[in-house]
Amino acid sequence: MPLIGCIADDFTGGTDLANNLVKSGFRTRQVIGVPDSESPNEAVDAVVVALKSRSIPAADAVSQSLAALEWLRRQGCEKFYFKYCSTFDSTPAGNIGPVAEALMDALGVDGTLFCPAFPATGRTVYQGHLFVGDRLLNDSGMEQHPLNPMRDADLVRWLGRQTQAATGLVDHACLSRGEAATRERIDQLIAEGRPLIVTDTLDDAQLTTLARASAHLPLVTGGSGLALGLGALYQPAVADPGQLPPVQGSAVILAGSASRRTREQIEHATTRLPTYTLDPQRLADAFDATLDAVMAWAAPQLGDTPLLIHSDTRPEAVEAAQAQLGVEAAGALIERALATLAERLLAQGVRQWIVAGGETSGAIVQALGIAALRIGPEIAPGVPWTHATTAEGDIHLALKSGNFGAPEMFTSAWEIIR
Ligand SMILES: Nc1ncnc2c1ncn2[C@@H]1O[C@H](COP(=O)(O)OP(=O)(O)O)[C@@H](O)[C@H]1O
Ligand SMILES: O=C(O)[C@@H](O)C(=O)COP(=O)(O)O
């Protein structure tokens, strides 16, 4: 079995992928950013390098991803997996297409798959169109995403706008004919000069078909779902996430995600947990004073009952902040606010964390100075509890992708680690 090297374009995506790899039996190590040194000598089957490269300029995403690839090759990886969002978060400028093409060039491969599907969370692909539950992607709430509004569910067309090379599709009818027919179709598309192959997927069985049919490709790309198929392909020795080492300390939820599901989770938690809503306008006018006010509110309440601190992500609030500050600056301001609060809360003894949103998680994990994550028990498909070490001590941390988890997750997740 080859050692699998994975590059995730955000940190929630990294834990999502690591979680599915562990579920599939792979002993998995997740590192944050490209490490300065080589991996410790421990027996693993898969390594995930989590980057924050989803919403940065395409050229930077390419160079970070190539650096991750080189590091993974030095660790002995032979099969590679580029992980992006199951809702294909990107813009016409990238970064999914440019990064995939650069990885293909660096590996000298002539074709790869694009498989964002994750049926357990309702992400399926039919005739190249991405669905979230029963809605097309462009009608799922993702069309209002603050950084990468997804306004086209046709992935063949969307990916085609990001890349030089031609795109193709392995459709549902082909997949239903099984592994050999699917492999033949993949090879035929590559031979025809259509190396960027979007795949339909309706269920987990088709993820297995895809994993088997693409076993000969050194590089695959997708959401985390395909990792479930890789388990059936390689049948690794069983990895048991087991219980994480216990950690004592107070609990906080930090949410910068503007996703529809996170808004539902906030709504559910607001009536049950002490809650603070960050106003982007106030942050723009008086950043330090606003954070001081949040800390003055939080400090006396820290304890076993989690506190919820979240950005105001009602569509009208996002629109107003972006109109005042610009799209990138508004996002960066809120990320900086939550990251600074995380540092201050860590110093006050917070040791149990849920963070919602991929970009938000990137900012917070970097602020907490975390180098690696150990994957623990699953809260919901795509969301594991993890264990990490910071300069202040060990913590439990769940990085929650925007649209993952049940509406009551912010109040129910804690039972799993306590
Ligand atoms: N009110 C707001 N106005 C503008 N941007 C916001 C607002 N609230 C949050 N954001 C930004 O939106 C982005 C959300 O992305 P992310 O954290 O990946 O979560 P998700 O993808 O689930 O929405 C972050 O950059 C965050 O700082
Ligand atoms: O694949 C997924 O959906 C997630 O792993 C993911 O990347 C989600 O990103 P955010 O919604 O930005 O948290």
Side-chain angles (χ1 to χ4, degrees):
M1 184 176 80
L3 179 62
I4 300 176
C6 310
I7 303 168
D9 70 351
D10 82 348
F11 295 1
T12 49
T15 56
D16 171 15
L17 177 60
N19 184 55
N20 275 354
L21 286 165
V22 169
K23 266 171 108 168
S24 285
F26 296 91
R27 292 163 300 173
T28 305
R29 177 172 163 75
Q30 178 170 357
V31 295
I32 303 295
V34 182
D36 298 331
S37 54
E38 306 309 317
S39 224
N41 199 8
E42 59 179 345
V44 291
D45 309 305
V47 184
V48 178
V49 176
L51 301 176
K52 190 176 187 300
S53 57
R54 184 175 294 174
S55 303
I56 61 176
D60 297 342
V62 165
S63 65
Q64 289 184 24
S65 304
L66 290 176
L69 177 69
E70 276 321 302
W71 184 83
L72 286 166
R73 284 173 121 173
R74 284 206 306 279
Q75 311 320 304
C77 296
E78 288 166 13
K79 172 111 185 174
F80 299 91
Y81 191 133
F82 169 37
K83 158 71 177 69
Y84 41 78
C85 194
S86 62
T87 45
F88 216 74
D89 292 21
S90 53
T91 71
N95 293 338
I96 294 175
V99 169
E101 284 189 302
L103 295 175
M104 284 168 64
D105 284 350
L107 289 166
V109 300
D110 51 9
T112 191
L113 299 188
F114 293 79
C115 175
F118 188 4
T121 59
R123 276 69 158 166
T124 55
V125 181
Y126 181 64
Q127 302 299 354
H129 288 67
L130 181 53
F131 287 80
V132 178
D134 62 357
R135 314 308 300 170
L136 278 165
L137 176 65
N138 56 295
D139 191 25
S140 69
M142 284 305 295
E143 69 281 9
Q144 291 170 336
H145 191 279
L147 304 178
N148 46 260
M150 299 304 294
R151 301 202 171 115
D152 189 356
D154 182 338
L155 299 185
V156 177
R157 182 166 57 202
W158 187 250
L159 180 63
R161 293 176 70 181
Q162 300 175 11
T163 54
Q164 304 294 321
T167 50
L169 174 69
V170 171
D171 70 8
H172 171 64
C174 171
L175 279 164
S176 60
R177 290 199 296 277
E179 179 189 332
T182 304
R183 183 179 306 111
E184 205 173 299
R185 176 72 180 141
I186 290 170
D187 290 343
Q188 182 195 7
L189 285 166
I190 294 173
E192 282 172 7
R194 286 190 279 159
L196 310 179
I197 303 167
V198 174
T199 63
D200 276 3
T201 315
L202 295 189
D203 53 31
D204 284 357
Q206 290 186 337
L207 290 172
T208 303
T209 304
L210 281 166
R212 289 185 194 278
S214 63
H216 60 306
L217 301 182
L219 172 70
V220 291
T221 86
S224 67
L226 192 58
L228 297 171
L230 291 179
L233 174 62
Y234 294 116
Q235 299 179 327
V238 176
D240 176 8
Q243 285 305 308
L244 295 174
V247 164
Q248 302 304 322
S250 41
V252 155
I253 303 157
L254 296 176
S257 158
S259 294
R260 197 176 271 180
R261 176 47 59 92
T262 304
R263 280 206 299 279
E264 290 168 14
Q265 288 160 337
I266 290 170
E267 227 165 86
H268 177 269
T270 296
T271 53
R272 294 164 173 84
L273 304 177
T275 301
Y276 195 105
T277 306
L278 282 173
D279 174 1
Q281 189 107 38
R282 239 184 111 195
L283 281 171
D285 294 344
F287 188 80
D288 291 339
T290 307
L291 298 195
D292 287 347
V294 182
M295 288 307 296
W297 168 86
Q301 304 190 77
L302 288 172
D304 282 349
T305 303
L307 308 186
L308 168 61
I309 302 172
H310 72 93
S311 148
D312 185 352
T313 54
R314 291 166 302 138
E316 58 273 27
V318 173
E319 214 173 289
Q322 292 184 337
Q324 188 198 352
L325 303 166
V327 172
E328 277 177 33
L333 176 76
I334 290 150
E335 288 177 34
R336 187 158 63 86
L338 288 169
T340 311
L341 285 171
E343 279 178 81
R344 293 177 68 173
L345 289 162
L346 182 71
Q348 295 272 327
V350 174
R351 298 290 181 268
Q352 330 261 355
W353 305 76
I354 296 177
V355 179
E359 295 299 322
T360 307
S361 294
I364 289 174
V365 165
Q366 282 168 349
L368 295 179
I370 292 169
L373 295 169
R374 173 170 163 192
I375 305 297
E378 182 180 84
I379 302 168
V383 193
W385 273 113
T386 72
H387 178 273
T389 300
T390 74
E392 302 274 347
D394 289 359
I395 63 169
H396 286 153
L397 174 69
L399 303 179
K400 189 203 81 76
S401 294
N403 278 310
F404 286 177
E408 63 280 5
M409 193 196 130
F410 288 169
T411 52
S412 63
W414 310 95
E415 289 155 21
I416 299 168
I417 38 156
R418 284 182 176 160

